[in-house]
Amino acid sequence: MTSPGSTPLPATGPTGPPQVAPTVRPGPAAPATAARPQASPAAPALPRPPSMIARRWPGPSGAARPMVLAALTAAAVVGASALTMVRPGLGWLVAALAGTAALVTAGVIRSGTSSPVADRTTPTASGAVPARPGATGAPGRVAQAAWAAATVALVAVGTVRAAGWLFVLCLLAAAVTGTLAVTGGRSPLGMLVAATLPPAATVRALPWAVRGVRTTRPAGSGIGFGRILTSLAMSAVLLTLFGLLFSSADAVFAGLVGGLLPDISLGGVIGWLMRLLLIGGGLLGGAYLVSRPPDLEGLRPAPSRPAHRLEWTLPLVLLDALFAVFVLVQLTVLFGGAGHVLRTAGLTYAQYARGGFWQLLAVTALTLLVIAIAARRAPKATRADRLLVRVLLGTLTALSLVIVASALYRMQVYADAYGATRLRLVVSTVELWLGLLFVLVGVAVVRLRADWLPRLVVGTAVLALLGLALVNPDRLIADRNVDRYLETGRLDVGYLSGLSADAVPALGRLPEPMRSCALGEIAAELPRDGFWATNLGRERARRALDSVPVSGSITDCPGLRRW
C-alpha cells in the first residue's frame, strides 16, 4: 500500500534483484497500418550470361539493307540462268562473279551498325558486347580477297578445261575457299567450325531478310526493296519477251542470243526454280556472315601439359635412326638405279615400282602427324629444350623430304613402264604438295611458331590444284602415252579413248588406225555448246578434229585393253 503522493517502492522478485517498472507515457494512437511489417524490395535479377553462339556469332543486329537484298536477288537470277548442269562452261564463271559481286556489296553495306564506337562498347540486351565488324577474327581484307580470288579461279577451271573430274575437284576446293572468305578462321579448330557455319547462316538469315523486306523506308532515305525487286522483274520480263520476238524474226539474231534466253518448258522452269532457291539460299547465308563475321580467333585447343624430356626424346631419336637407315637404302636406288635394287631384292619391275609408293605415301602423312604432336607436347622453356626440338624435328623433316623424293621416283618409274594415268598424276601431285608441306614444317620448326601454318596448308593445296589444271592433265597424259607408243609400240587405246576433249590435240599425233580408235568415242560425245556452256578445251578439240580426219569405219582397234 502507498499513500497518495508517495514514491512507489521497487518491486522485488522472489530470487533476483528488484525489478524497476517502466514508466509508460501516454501518446497519440498509432495508425492501424503502421503495425504491419514492410516487405523488403526484391533484388534486381542478374542478366543471364550470353551463350557461346551469342558471344562468337551475334549476327547483324538490324534488318538487311534493300540494296543488299537486291544484289543477292540479281546474283541468284543470273546464277540460275547461267549454270549448265551437264557440262562445265562459261556459265559457272559468270555465276561465280555475280555471287562474288553480291557478297562484296553486302560486305561494303554493313547492316545494323551505327558507329565503330557503339559496336565496340555498347552491350546488347543479353549483356554481350557485340564485336566490331571487320575485327571479329575474320581474316583481313587482303586474306579475304585472296580466298575470294581463289574461289573464282577454281570455278573458272570449268571454262578452260573440259575434264569433268578435274572440275569436280575444283568445285570441292572452291567450297572450302569460299567458306573461308566469308567466315574466316585461322586455327585448325576455327577452320573446322567455319565449315559448319554456312548451312546455319542460311537458316539464321531468313528473319534478317524478312525484316529487310518489311522495313518501310522513310521518305528521302532511298528506294525500298519492293521497288528494286519490281524494277528487276520488269527488266527480266521485257528482255525475255522482246528477245523471243526478235529471235523468231531473225535467224542470225536467234543464233547469237539463243543460248542466253532461258528454257521456258515445264522441266526448264522447274530446274531454274530449284537452282534459284539453292543459289539464293547460299548467297543469303554468305551475306549474313559477311555482314557480321563470327569470332573464330579464340577457338584454339587448351594448352597441354608439356611432356617430360625423355617421354618425347627417346621415340624421336629411334624414329630418326630408322628414317636414316631407310634413306641410305633409297640413296642407293637414286644413285645406283633401279636395276641394282631389282637384282638385289629379287623383285619384278612392276612389284618394285608399284609396291612401295602407297606405303611411302602413308609414311609421309603419318610423319606430319608425329611432328605435329611432338611440337605440341615437347617442352620449350629452356634453351636446351628449344635446341633439342629443332634438332630432332628438323632431322625428321629433312629425312622425310628424301622419302618424298623416293616415292616420286617410284611413281615416275611406274609411269614410264606402264603409261601415265589420271590416278598416277593426281597422287604424284599430292606427293609434291606433301613435300612442300615438309618444307613449311621445317620453317615452323626452326622458328618454333606455326600460327601461320594452317592457312598455308589450305593455300598450298589450292595452288597445287590450280597448278594441276594449268598443266592440262588429260592432254599431258595423252602426250606421255603417245610418246611412249612412238618409242615402244605399246598403247592402251581403251584408256585414252575415255579421256576428255582436252586430250584431242595430243591424240591427233597418233597414226591410223590408232588415231581413229582413240578419237572416235571422244568425237561422238562432243556436241556443240550453247553460250553458257562455252568451254575453251572443247572448242580447241573441235578445231583439231576439223583438221584431223577420223574414220568411223574402224571397228577392230588393236590394243583395246586396260593395263
Side-chain angles (χ1 to χ4, degrees):
M1 295 294 293
T2 60
S3 61
S6 62
T7 303
L9 295 174
T12 59
T15 58
Q19 301 292 324
V20 180
T23 303
V24 178
R25 296 181 180 180
T33 58
R36 297 179 181 177
Q38 297 290 333
S40 60
L46 296 177
R48 297 179 59 185
S51 63
M52 188 183 69
I53 295 180
R55 295 194 312 268
R56 297 284 184 182
W57 188 22
S61 57
R65 299 292 181 88
M67 189 60 66
V68 173
L69 295 177
L72 297 177
T73 303
V77 171
V78 171
S81 304
L83 283 186
T84 55
M85 307 307 296
V86 179
R87 294 182 301 274
L90 179 62
W92 286 85
L93 177 58
V94 172
L97 291 174
T100 302
L103 294 180
V104 168
T105 303
V108 172
I109 309 175
R110 295 183 183 273
S111 63
T113 57
S114 55
S115 67
V117 176
D119 288 330
R120 215 179 281 127
T121 59
T122 304
T124 61
S126 61
V129 178
R132 177 173 58 89
T136 57
R141 294 293 184 183
V142 176
Q144 193 172 13
W147 290 126
T151 304
V152 174
L154 289 167
V155 176
V157 171
T159 306
V160 297
R161 297 289 179 253
W165 64 273
L166 178 64
F167 185 58
V168 170
L169 293 178
C170 290
L171 282 184
L172 295 176
V176 176
T177 56
T179 300
L180 293 177
V182 298
T183 60
R186 305 181 183 185
S187 64
L189 182 58
M191 291 181 177
L192 291 177
V193 173
T196 65
L197 294 182
T202 301
V203 177
R204 292 186 60 181
L206 292 177
W208 177 63
V210 171
R211 290 196 302 267
V213 172
R214 291 180 176 178
T215 300
T216 303
R217 305 290 296 175
S221 62
I223 188 172
F225 173 71
R227 293 187 177 184
I228 296 177
L229 185 61
T230 302
S231 177
L232 292 175
M234 290 179 59
S235 302
V237 170
L238 290 175
L239 289 176
T240 302
L241 177 61
F242 283 94
L244 291 174
L245 291 175
F246 284 137
S247 297
S248 61
D250 187 85
V252 177
F253 184 81
L256 180 63
V257 301
L260 296 173
L261 297 176
D263 184 8
I264 57 175
S265 63
L266 179 61
V269 172
I270 293 177
W272 185 86
L273 290 176
M274 292 295 295
R275 293 193 297 272
L276 181 68
L277 291 176
L278 292 176
I279 297 173
L283 289 177
L284 183 61
Y288 186 85
L289 288 167
V290 168
S291 297
R292 195 66 173 271
D295 181 10
L296 303 178
E297 182 63 23
L299 293 178
R300 301 178 184 274
S304 60
R305 181 183 61 85
H308 190 272
R309 181 180 297 179
L310 184 62
E311 291 178 357
W312 70 274
T313 302
L314 181 60
L316 278 185
V317 169
L318 296 178
L319 193 61
D320 284 346
L322 178 62
F323 273 52
V325 173
F326 184 82
V327 164
L328 290 177
V329 176
Q330 300 310 299
L331 291 178
T332 304
V333 177
L334 294 177
F335 292 102
H340 170 72
V341 177
L342 295 180
R343 291 188 299 270
T344 304
L347 301 175
T348 65
Y349 205 70
Q351 289 173 341
Y352 168 73
R354 179 174 52 190
F357 174 79
W358 298 106
Q359 291 86 338
L360 294 181
L361 185 62
V363 167
T364 304
L366 289 176
T367 304
L368 286 173
L369 181 61
V370 169
I371 292 176
I373 296 175
R376 179 175 172 81
R377 296 297 308 276
K380 308 177 186 67
T382 65
R383 176 179 293 183
D385 290 334
R386 293 190 292 271
L387 179 61
L388 199 58
V389 169
R390 289 189 176 101
V391 170
L392 293 181
L393 293 185
T395 302
L396 187 60
T397 302
L399 295 174
S400 299
L401 285 174
V402 181
I403 293 178
V404 169
S406 175
L408 286 172
Y409 177 77
R410 287 171 182 260
M411 181 52 66
Q412 181 67 30
V413 169
Y414 189 58
D416 290 340
Y418 300 102
T421 63
R422 290 171 175 172
L423 179 60
R424 295 162 194 167
L425 182 59
V426 169
V427 295
S428 297
T429 304
V430 171
E431 193 68 33
L432 284 172
W433 172 64
L434 290 176
L436 179 58
L437 286 190
F438 275 114
V439 174
L440 297 176
V441 167
V443 175
V445 167
V446 172
R447 298 182 58 189
L448 290 181
R449 294 193 58 178
D451 296 340
W452 45 270
L453 190 57
R455 285 169 289 169
L456 278 184
V457 168
V458 180
T460 52
V462 172
L463 290 178
L465 188 55
L466 290 175
L468 183 63
L470 183 63
V471 300
N472 199 349
D474 276 13
R475 179 165 183 174
L476 178 63
I477 292 169
D479 276 325
R480 291 282 303 274
N481 283 277
V482 170
D483 293 339
R484 176 172 167 269
Y485 171 75
L486 296 178
E487 293 177 1
T488 64
R490 294 182 295 175
L491 186 68
D492 187 355
V493 181
Y495 183 83
L496 296 181
S497 63
L499 296 177
S500 66
D502 292 330
V504 169
L507 296 179
R509 299 191 293 120
L510 288 172
E512 287 290 359
M514 306 299 286
R515 180 174 64 240
S516 296
C517 291
L519 292 177
E521 185 176 347
I522 299 177
E525 298 178 355
L526 197 63
R528 292 291 174 181
D529 294 326
F531 179 80
W532 296 121
T534 301
N535 181 274
L536 182 60
R538 291 193 292 270
E539 189 61 31
R540 288 176 176 173
R542 293 187 189 95
R543 291 198 298 265
L545 290 174
D546 291 338
S547 60
V548 176
V550 177
S551 174
S553 60
I554 299 177
T555 58
D556 186 16
C557 294
L560 191 59
R561 64 185 180 88
R562 298 186 181 277
W563 292 88

